[in-house]
Amino acid sequence: MNKQSSIPGLLDHELVVQAESLQKKAQYKEAIKLYKKLLQDTANQVYRDNLAYCYVQRAIGFAAKGMYPEALALWENHIAFAQPPYAAQDQYIVWQIQCSSAEKIAASLKQLSAQQLDKQYPALASVLGFLMLTKHPEFEQLLAQDSALIAHFKIIQTALQAFRDNRIDTFNEALKQLPYRSAFRDFRTLCGAITALSGSSTQAQTLLSKIPANSPYAQFAKLLHACTKEGAELAYELVKLNHQQDRFIAEIKDLSKKQLDFIQHFSRQYEQLSDKVEFNLAIQYKDLIGVDTAQPFCQTLLASYPAGNKDFIKHFGEPSEFEENRVKALLCEQDNNLYDADYYWKQCIAILENNVAKNALQIALILQRMATREPEADKRTELLIQSVQYDPDNRNTYLQIIHHYSQQKTAKDYKFWLNKTLEKFPQDVEVLTQEVKAATRNKTYKKASQYANKILGIDPLNTFAKQTLFSSHLAHARRLMRDKNFSLVAKEMSKAEQLNAGKVYQRQLQLMHALLYFAAEDKQQGLQKITTALADLHADPVNIHFQAGVETMLNGLPVATVLRELPEIKEHLLSKQELTELIQQLKLYAVDSDNWEYVHKALDKIKAPLKKSISEQAYAEELMLSLCQVLDSLDHFELLRHIARVAQAQWNKPIWTYYRVYADNNGEAEDYSYWEVQRLQNAHEQATENKDYPTAMLIDKLLDSYFEAHPERDMGFLEGLFGDSSGAMSDEFEDPLDALFGHLPDRVMIDLNNKSESLVKKMTPEKLSQELAQQVGGDKLLFMAMMVNPDVFSALMILRAADELSIEIDTDIEDVIEVFGIDENASAAPCPF
């Protein structure tokens, strides 16, 4: 339908609505037509502003497509409906430079004031600076001579002249005169990278990464970044560039003609390099890339290109025993045959061990490769530990070992490897950070502070170290406050202030100052200062109450006195942002287990609005999980139970089954009921099917803890849904539950288990036996059978669940009586487990 067809019959207000709607949808061409129609009838300033806006936005859209003449025309149209200063004028000038005549460009540049160049249009100033250095030096005379842009350009000219004269110190000193916000700051960074290239490619890469992608110097930065590469990495960079760019890099890298020929040959076939082509290229240029590189590369390719065997022998001779084993190992890896791959790698290691001094690094690399493919964490770590014997300076290997042991229950191995790593890398910030965390967990706070100070000596801006020291000072100040040593409290807070840890921490100190004033000076004024400090920290009453409660208790001050001055929280519902803020507070206080008692008491004060918020607010699942994790770390099972119930009803995922069972038993695995174990196993199966491996691992740990506490129950029937019992029993024994329900699909059994669990909470064995007595007679008989053998009760509850869910399971109460052997003379025999 033609968009204009309905216009004549529209009322003005309908036309306005349609125009505004099109504008919001970024359909600027259609919106322009409607606004022009409206302006024919009335000179409304809002319509003029909107029309001008649409023209500008459409111009920007055309420019993004490289259609600069069209963009210029549209922008110039908007002037008739707008007043200076014009929108996107800086972009308009850039478009002019792309396609206009020199006269028009000159006129536009002469109109720019120093204020516009230095303050209003930083992106344009950067482009003009770049152009003055490259294609358009004449722009210097057209721009405002009193602008910072021109002043900085003269500094750049001085620096470049010093560089040409090889006066590097003068060059660097000149660049230092440029302020941080200079239009030439990216050029300065580029120059820094150029001077760094001759020394440290890593430093050059770091500098080049600071140049943003939209900078006019980005293309040069990309080329220089390629210059920091060597060997294969350089080749892969060069194949992405054009011939002229390759020549530019070749000149910087001093590449030979043969090297360039290889790169061009490689780049022509880069997208479709077959094994055969790669093999022939390696042989053709073996003198260039080195026989030591070409030979193992070609031998590896023989696995997938056996036709090259004759050429291989011709150019390299018969392959060595080591190379044969290496190729076999790689082939096995390609087929995902890790067992045989390990065998061949071990053969390689055995050969290399004949000369450990020469081959140590190669042995370490093989062990590290085997570790990356080992699925079991313990075995993977064993391989890494072996590799350290041959490559003792590999920092990454040490960190992987530390990470593994940090996840284990016992801290002995973790401490050993952490200390060993620190001895090897005493100045490594990441290792020192691990030491700080370990010392904090062990409550050796003085040691944690020492390591944090060491980190700041290496990296003065390290946020983690600052936060650690800040927390240490704050904890010491609280202890002094409890001892009423107020003069030392002030000194400790002064030390914390000197760290300049950030605004949030400064507000925390403001609260501490208020608490100190309350304790040492004046109670009433102190209360006012406390409420003001809390209001600066938090916008909602729940977070305010929580932090007030924890901090007053940590400082040994009267909680009730402070809380009475705070706003009411009973009816408050936490927003997503406010709940996130509360989680951050909980994480902060959870670090030190000495705080947990106070945290629990503070949570008791806010649990009513918190529970209400969880029940009534539609929080994201990720946020709920985050809250669960921090409450778990604090052992606060009451709130954890509430969250798990609400979340399970909403999402019904394995992770919520985990939290539900875990919280219902206060984290005590030995207290799980039969049904809870079944639910965990079903959830584990679902998590595995969904490839939710973190959840599957959590459930595994719970089940392991349960069976450690009850080894006699670790039978076959708990490994499946109702499978066989263990080999300790007679082969003739058949699990009654399996006989009754083993024919049902797993999914049906999961539904029945969940339903029967909810029924168990409402129905006792006595009540169930009374209801069933009408069908079979003799409720006492059924009751006694359930008391002797709990599986009778379980079976009957499954029947009841099937009835409630209207599921046909082809099993009834008579089958239960028959399978368990319930009659007038014999109750059900106890289950062998």
Side-chain angles (χ1 to χ4, degrees), residues 93-137:
I93 293 172
V94 173
W95 304 337
Q96 277 191 316
I97 293 169
Q98 295 286 349
C99 62
S100 293
S101 64
E103 292 80 7
K104 286 186 177 181
I105 295 170
S108 292
L109 294 181
K110 287 177 181 178
Q111 290 175 7
L112 289 170
S113 67
Q115 173 74 11
Q116 288 175 313
L117 286 169
D118 300 334
K119 301 292 184 183
Q120 295 177 16
Y121 302 143
L124 174 62
S126 182
V127 170
L128 293 174
F130 171 77
L131 292 173
M132 285 190 290
L133 287 169
T134 53
K135 294 182 179 179
H136 296 285

Side-chain angles (χ1 to χ4, degrees), residues 548-777:
V550 176
E551 289 295 335
T552 50
M553 285 185 276
L554 285 172
N555 287 280
L557 301 176
V559 180
T561 304
V562 174
L563 294 185
R564 277 198 298 269
E565 301 297 317
L566 302 180
E568 180 59 47
I569 64 170
K570 188 175 180 181
E571 298 301 322
H572 185 80
L573 293 177
L574 288 159
S575 68
K576 174 187 173 183
Q577 179 58 40
E578 291 164 355
L579 182 59
T580 303
E581 202 171 314
L582 179 61
I583 291 169
Q584 293 304 319
Q585 283 204 73
L586 289 168
K587 286 179 179 178
L588 183 67
Y589 290 120
V591 172
D592 187 354
S593 59
D594 289 344
N595 299 337
W596 290 6
E597 179 186 354
Y598 304 128
V599 173
H600 277 241
K601 289 180 179 179
L603 280 171
D604 286 343
K605 301 288 185 184
I606 66 165
K607 70 182 179 184
L610 181 54
K611 284 184 175 181
K612 186 178 180 183
S613 298
I614 290 164
S615 299
E616 298 182 16
Q617 297 283 77
Y619 297 124
E621 185 180 14
E622 185 179 351
L623 188 60
M624 296 279 271
L625 278 171
S626 182
L627 181 56
C628 277
Q629 288 162 1
V630 71
L631 289 172
D632 179 14
S633 71
L634 289 161
D635 290 344
H636 201 294
F637 296 107
E638 179 187 349
L639 285 171
L640 198 57
R641 279 192 291 274
H642 181 76
I643 299 167
R645 282 196 292 271
V646 172
Q648 190 177 35
Q650 187 171 354
W651 293 292
N652 195 26
K653 291 181 180 178
I655 186 63
W656 296 115
T657 299
Y658 162 81
Y659 274 121
R660 182 74 184 274
V661 174
Y662 176 75
D664 282 349
N665 292 277
N666 292 335
E668 302 295 332
E670 60 267 21
D671 295 335
Y672 296 162
S673 69
Y674 167 79
W675 289 110
E676 287 173 327
V677 174
Q678 289 296 308
R679 289 181 63 204
L680 286 173
Q681 290 183 319
N682 291 336
H684 182 273
E685 184 180 340
Q686 289 179 48
T688 304
E689 287 177 2
N690 299 337
K691 297 184 179 179
D692 181 6
Y693 300 121
T695 298
M697 291 174 65
L698 285 173
I699 297 171
D700 266 340
K701 288 183 179 180
L702 282 192
L703 290 172
D704 286 347
S705 299
Y706 173 79
F707 289 123
E708 283 175 13
H710 302 286
E712 76 282 358
R713 299 178 191 173
D714 190 5
M715 312 297 286
F717 85 100
L718 286 176
E719 292 171 7
L721 196 57
F722 288 115
D724 275 350
S725 51
S726 77
M729 288 187 249
S730 166
D731 292 338
E732 296 179 1
F733 173 78
E734 182 179 15
D735 177 12
L737 293 174
D738 188 33
L740 290 165
F741 308 113
H743 64 286
L744 296 175
D746 288 355
R747 185 56 53 194
V748 172
M749 278 307 304
I750 290 170
D751 293 339
L752 292 175
N753 285 339
N754 291 335
K755 183 63 179 177
S756 60
E757 183 193 325
S758 64
L759 291 173
V760 165
K761 295 179 179 178
K762 305 173 186 175
M763 183 168 293
T764 63
E766 294 95 329
K767 185 176 180 182
L768 179 62
S769 61
Q770 289 169 7
E771 289 187 5
L772 294 173
Q774 297 176 4
Q775 299 179 40
V776 296

Side-chain angles (χ1 to χ4, degrees), residues 51-104:
L51 178 56
Y53 174 84
C54 290
Y55 270 125
V56 171
Q57 294 305 311
R58 195 150 186 252
I60 292 171
F62 272 103
K65 299 173 184 176
M67 301 170 70
Y68 298 111
E70 293 83 353
L72 288 170
L74 286 164
W75 190 91
E76 289 164 0
N77 283 342
H78 107 279
I79 293 176
F81 304 96
Q83 298 294 325
Y86 298 118
Q89 186 173 2
D90 53 338
Q91 295 182 60
Y92 171 71
I93 293 172
V94 173
W95 304 337
Q96 277 191 316
I97 293 169
Q98 295 286 349
C99 62
S100 293
S101 64
E103 292 80 7
K104 286 186 177 181

Side-chain angles (χ1 to χ4, degrees), residues 331-622:
L331 276 173
C332 289
E333 285 183 353
Q334 289 176 16
D335 295 336
N336 205 28
N337 180 2
L338 299 183
Y339 181 84
D340 286 342
D342 282 358
Y343 169 80
Y344 290 117
W345 283 128
K346 288 173 182 176
Q347 294 296 107
C348 289
I349 292 172
I351 295 167
L352 293 172
E353 282 181 334
N354 291 325
N355 190 347
V356 173
K358 179 182 178 182
N359 301 322
L361 181 58
Q362 203 168 355
I363 294 171
L365 291 172
I366 292 173
L367 289 166
Q368 290 161 16
R369 183 184 183 90
M370 292 168 68
T372 61
R373 285 160 174 76
E374 173 55 56
E376 294 184 28
D378 289 338
K379 291 182 179 179
R380 183 164 59 247
T381 304
E382 287 175 13
L383 289 166
L384 291 173
I385 290 172
Q386 290 177 45
S387 79
V388 168
Q389 300 173 31
Y390 301 99
D391 185 14
D393 298 324
N394 191 319
R395 169 182 170 274
N396 184 53
T397 303
Y398 284 93
L399 292 175
Q400 289 182 66
I401 295 169
I402 290 171
H403 176 74
H404 169 74
Y405 285 124
S406 70
Q407 308 298 312
Q408 307 307 305
K409 292 181 180 179
T410 57
K412 181 180 177 182
D413 290 326
Y414 175 68
K415 289 179 182 177
F416 172 81
W417 279 100
L418 186 56
N419 292 334
K420 192 177 179 73
T421 306
L422 187 62
E423 288 174 11
K424 193 71 183 175
F425 308 101
Q427 298 296 310
D428 190 283
V429 170
E430 190 170 351
V431 177
L432 288 166
T433 299
Q434 292 291 335
E435 285 283 9
V436 172
K437 291 178 179 178
T440 303
R441 280 197 299 271
N442 296 332
K443 299 184 181 180
T444 52
Y445 300 114
K446 186 176 180 180
K447 191 175 182 181
S449 296
Q450 289 172 349
Y451 285 126
N453 273 314
K454 192 170 183 180
I455 291 172
L456 288 178
I458 301 166
D459 178 10
L461 300 178
N462 190 283
T463 303
F464 172 78
K466 283 188 176 185
Q467 290 171 355
T468 299
L469 286 173
F470 182 91
S471 299
S472 177
H473 288 309
L474 214 59
H476 192 201
R478 289 167 181 149
R479 287 193 291 273
L480 293 168
M481 186 93 83
R482 290 197 296 270
D483 295 338
K484 302 190 183 324
N485 201 334
F486 300 131
S487 60
L488 292 180
V489 172
K491 288 182 180 178
E492 202 65 32
M493 288 194 294
S494 177
K495 292 178 183 177
E497 284 173 341
Q498 291 170 15
L499 290 169
N500 295 319
K503 290 182 180 178
V504 174
Y505 294 92
Q506 292 303 317
R507 290 173 189 159
Q508 181 73 23
L509 279 173
Q510 182 187 348
L511 176 58
M512 279 296 294
H513 280 296
L515 291 167
L516 177 60
Y517 195 90
F518 173 85
E521 303 289 339
D522 181 271
K523 294 287 186 289
Q524 196 55 45
Q525 288 188 37
L527 284 172
Q528 292 175 4
K529 289 177 181 292
I530 289 170
T531 54
T532 300
L534 288 167
D536 286 343
L537 279 164
H538 309 291
D540 68 283
V542 175
N543 273 288
I544 286 175
H545 268 257
F546 176 74
Q547 185 154 21
V550 176
E551 289 295 335
T552 50
M553 285 185 276
L554 285 172
N555 287 280
L557 301 176
V559 180
T561 304
V562 174
L563 294 185
R564 277 198 298 269
E565 301 297 317
L566 302 180
E568 180 59 47
I569 64 170
K570 188 175 180 181
E571 298 301 322
H572 185 80
L573 293 177
L574 288 159
S575 68
K576 174 187 173 183
Q577 179 58 40
E578 291 164 355
L579 182 59
T580 303
E581 202 171 314
L582 179 61
I583 291 169
Q584 293 304 319
Q585 283 204 73
L586 289 168
K587 286 179 179 178
L588 183 67
Y589 290 120
V591 172
D592 187 354
S593 59
D594 289 344
N595 299 337
W596 290 6
E597 179 186 354
Y598 304 128
V599 173
H600 277 241
K601 289 180 179 179
L603 280 171
D604 286 343
K605 301 288 185 184
I606 66 165
K607 70 182 179 184
L610 181 54
K611 284 184 175 181
K612 186 178 180 183
S613 298
I614 290 164
S615 299
E616 298 182 16
Q617 297 283 77
Y619 297 124
E621 185 180 14
E622 185 179 351

